[in-house]
Amino acid sequence: MLLVVSCSLTGVILGGTTSWAESKLCLQAKTAMNDCLTQDPITKIIEGMSIGLVAGTGAAFGAAWQMRHED
């Protein structure tokens, strides 16, 4: 359970940070793309965090499954 929680939390942090950095770069670009102007940065960060949560949880369950079958 600790593996799932730690991987999920790491996924949320990395996903949110990546989305935040991407939105900052997009807004600072010389030619702003349509996605930058129409999408709310907070919504983009929340989407990144939720994707990170799913990815982290999936990775944790995959690692736990692998460890269980190796024993």
Side-chain angles (χ1 to χ4, degrees), residues 54-70:
V54 171
T57 304
F61 279 120
W65 182 272
Q66 183 73 23
M67 287 175 13
R68 179 177 232 185
H69 285 319
E70 285 181 0

Side-chain angles (χ1 to χ4, degrees), residues 10 12 20-21 26-27 30-32 48 62 65 67:
T10 302
V12 167
W20 174 78
C26 190
L27 291 173
K30 290 185 181 190
T31 56
W65 182 272
M67 287 175 13

Side-chain angles (χ1 to χ4, degrees), residues 28-69:
Q28 292 176 353
K30 290 185 181 190
T31 56
M33 298 174 76
N34 197 21
D35 290 343
C36 295
L37 302 174
T38 59
Q39 192 170 21
D40 182 33
I42 301 297
T43 304
K44 186 137 179 95
I45 292 170
I46 292 172
E47 286 177 3
M49 291 171 79
S50 61
I51 290 170
L53 175 68
V54 171
T57 304
F61 279 120
W65 182 272
Q66 183 73 23
M67 287 175 13
R68 179 177 232 185
H69 285 319

Side-chain angles (χ1 to χ4, degrees), residues 2-27:
L2 183 61
L3 179 66
V4 173
V5 171
S6 63
C7 285
S8 299
L9 183 61
T10 302
V12 167
I13 292 169
L14 289 176
T17 304
T18 302
S19 294
W20 174 78
E22 184 180 304
S23 65
K24 285 289 189 186
L25 286 175
C26 190
L27 291 173

